[in-house]
Amino acid sequence: MNGKWYIYYTANDGGGDDSRRICVLENESPNPMDGDWVWKGALGTPVPGLDGTVLKWGARFYFLYAGYGHFPDYGSAIYIMRMSNPYTLTGDHVLLTAPTFSWEKQGGMAINEGPIMLHRNG
């Protein structure tokens, strides 16, 4: 993004779902195997989350993630937020999907995770 490499990863302090944060590493090198990876911080998601990914739509970037915190209805749902840069979120998060179908509620867990975008015809 913007000529740099970014890695979005999930970390916690050992406290489980409630302490999960999505963090960002940045590398300015043209080759991601070279250069230094710099920690840019944890993203300011309104709820703990994981599985962060970025969508570019036109000239704007959006961040999608699996957010936690709606127990007992469900364990996680997919949210989207605008990005002001690759490591800063802006505005409110918007719920895209929540587990409502029986196939999303297997083994006593109601979970939507792992957002991914597919672009058809470019």
Side-chain angles (χ1 to χ4, degrees):
M1 293 176 12
N2 301 331
K4 299 178 184 178
W5 295 94
Y6 292 91
I7 294 177
Y8 297 88
Y9 67 95
T10 303
N12 74 12
D13 62 5
D17 292 345
D18 290 340
S19 66
R20 285 185 178 164
R21 300 293 304 223
I22 301 166
C23 302
V24 184
L25 296 175
E26 176 187 73
N27 189 333
E28 296 183 358
S29 174
N31 181 343
M33 304 305 274
D34 295 330
D36 294 321
W37 286 96
V38 177
W39 190 71
K40 300 304 283 185
L43 293 177
T45 58
V47 296
L50 73 161
D51 294 345
T53 192
V54 176
L55 164 68
K56 183 178 181 193
W57 191 260
R60 293 188 176 171
F61 290 100
Y62 297 86
F63 189 74
L64 291 92
Y65 72 105
Y68 282 79
H70 290 279
F71 299 106
D73 295 334
Y74 53 86
S76 64
I78 305 296
Y79 294 93
I80 189 169
M81 293 184 76
R82 283 191 55 190
M83 302 178 85
S84 57
N85 62 47
Y87 45 86
T88 307
L89 304 177
T90 185
D92 294 328
H93 73 171
V94 175
L95 176 68
L96 291 181
T97 69
T100 56
F101 297 105
S102 61
W103 57 267
E104 298 172 297
K105 300 176 180 182
Q106 299 294 317
M109 302 292 287
I111 294 175
N112 277 179
E113 292 180 348
I116 187 74
M117 285 64 57
L118 300 174
H119 290 262
R120 183 175 182 195
N121 299 323

